[in-house]
Amino acid sequence: MTVASAIFYFFAAILIFFSIKVVTTKNLFHSVMSAFAVLLGTAGLFFLFNAEFLGIVQILIYAGAVTILVLFVVMLTTAGPKYRIVWETPLNIWIFVFVILFGGMLGMIVLSIQWPVAKPVALHGVTEALATRLFVEYLLPFEVASILLLAALIGSIVLARRD
Amino acid sequence: MDITLNQVLILAAILFSIGTFGALTRKSIVIVVMCIELMFNAVNLNLVAFAYFSGLEALRGQVFAVFIMVVSAAELGLCMAIAIMLYRNRDTIQVDRINMMKW
């Protein structure tokens, strides 16, 4: 077992454990913090897979901004005397069966396809290559994405504004 | 023994299934949106793994992961605004209490 493989199994165990914690824990705050751990673990896997830029972006945007935003919303919407915690939901057996079957289907598809795998090489200057790809070949989708972000920004302000 | 592509894909499939389960069973809108983010995350992991194991220097998988991040960030911001507005108008963010469009 190589070092990379050991690191991969470590992060995989962290990811699976904390994602189960996200969906099973009763406490809203614990759930959000478990999601934070899952996003950080994914950033670690990105670093392992030659994607330094994406790893940094994942830590900055997801682990930083998204978790803080969600925590703000949790604090804003679960405070006050009007709020009652009714998280104890009976486990819906049909959803469980559906998810098991769905996951099995995904696994079978993954295992049944002969992926054209090449020997992975450690690249240098991944960020530069990614920027070239993004600003030369995918310039139009990049600009459309910025318009989408602007629209989402204005929409969120309009929706959440108290008038 | 090295990491193979199948291991990463199986891991992402497990994460995606757990996220689906959470999005279908949890009652709070915030946690439902967080579970959808977990599903996005699993897909991003797939794309980065594809870019890594393809052996090319094109990095198209990482480019698509960037776009998925943009879209999911926009979606999460809008969902949080909707959650705040629902709490202001209906005093709850439980998905089974928000049934005013059901008849």
Side-chain angles (χ1 to χ4, degrees):
Chain A
M1 177 178 287
T2 60
V3 178
S5 191
I7 293 174
F8 174 75
Y9 282 122
F10 173 70
F11 278 118
I14 283 183
L15 284 179
I16 292 177
F17 174 75
F18 279 108
S19 359
I20 291 177
K21 200 118 168 75
V22 169
V23 292
T24 54
T25 181
K26 298 275 190 287
N27 192 328
L28 221 57
F29 180 75
H30 290 174
S31 194
V32 176
M33 289 324 273
S34 305
F36 174 68
V38 172
L39 298 170
L40 274 188
T42 315
L45 280 185
F46 285 175
F47 284 119
L48 190 65
F49 290 144
N50 258 341
E52 300 97 6
F53 178 73
L54 278 179
I56 294 287
V57 165
Q58 176 94 3
I59 291 175
L60 281 179
I61 292 184
Y62 276 98
V66 162
T67 312
I68 299 298
L69 178 68
V70 172
L71 278 183
F72 264 111
V73 174
V74 165
M75 284 189 287
L76 283 174
T77 55
T78 56
K82 289 176 292 189
Y83 183 72
R84 289 189 305 124
I85 295 180
V86 199
W87 303 130
E88 286 79 11
T89 65
L91 178 64
N92 192 333
I93 190 69
W94 290 112
I95 294 179
F96 193 68
V97 168
F98 164 74
V99 168
I100 292 290
L101 288 178
F102 182 70
M105 185 191 73
L106 287 180
M108 278 175 60
I109 291 173
V110 163
L111 291 180
S112 67
I113 295 179
Q114 199 70 34
W115 301 99
V117 176
K119 181 81 180 151
V121 287
L123 299 175
H124 292 289
V126 171
T127 308
E128 288 176 4
L130 186 62
T132 310
R133 197 57 55 190
L134 205 54
F135 285 107
V136 173
E137 192 175 344
Y138 293 95
L139 183 62
L140 181 65
F142 186 78
E143 298 295 337
V144 172
S146 68
I147 293 177
L148 171 74
L149 273 182
L150 182 67
L153 176 73
I154 296 173
S156 318
I157 292 174
V158 170
L159 276 180
R161 194 179 46 153
R162 189 190 297 274
D163 48 10
Chain B
M1 192 183 79
D2 241 347
I3 314 170
T4 62
L5 179 62
N6 274 350
Q7 290 174 344
V8 188
L9 295 184
I10 292 287
L11 171 68
I14 293 172
L15 292 181
F16 194 90
S17 303
I18 295 173
T20 314
F21 184 72
L24 289 177
T25 53
R26 294 306 298 258
K27 299 285 188 212
S28 164
I29 281 184
V30 177
I31 302 303
V32 169
V33 174
M34 255 353 237
C35 288
I36 294 175
E37 291 296 314
L38 293 193
M39 291 155 73
F40 274 124
N41 221 35
V43 174
N44 269 346
L45 187 58
N46 263 357
L47 287 171
V48 171
F50 280 136
Y52 179 62
F53 284 102
S54 69
L56 304 173
E57 301 200 5
L59 296 177
R60 291 212 169 78
Q62 295 194 19
V63 173
F64 276 89
V66 169
F67 287 129
I68 289 182
M69 278 182 180
V70 169
V71 172
S72 70
E75 172 253 344
L76 185 124
L78 275 179
C79 284
M80 291 300 117
I82 289 173
I84 289 180
M85 196 183 63
L86 276 175
Y87 181 72
R88 197 175 290 148
N89 290 332
R90 306 278 299 178
D91 291 334
T92 182
I93 54 165
Q94 284 185 53
V95 288
D96 52 347
R97 299 270 186 85
I98 303 164
N99 52 5
M100 65 270 225
M101 290 180 77
K102 193 167 139 188
W103 59 283

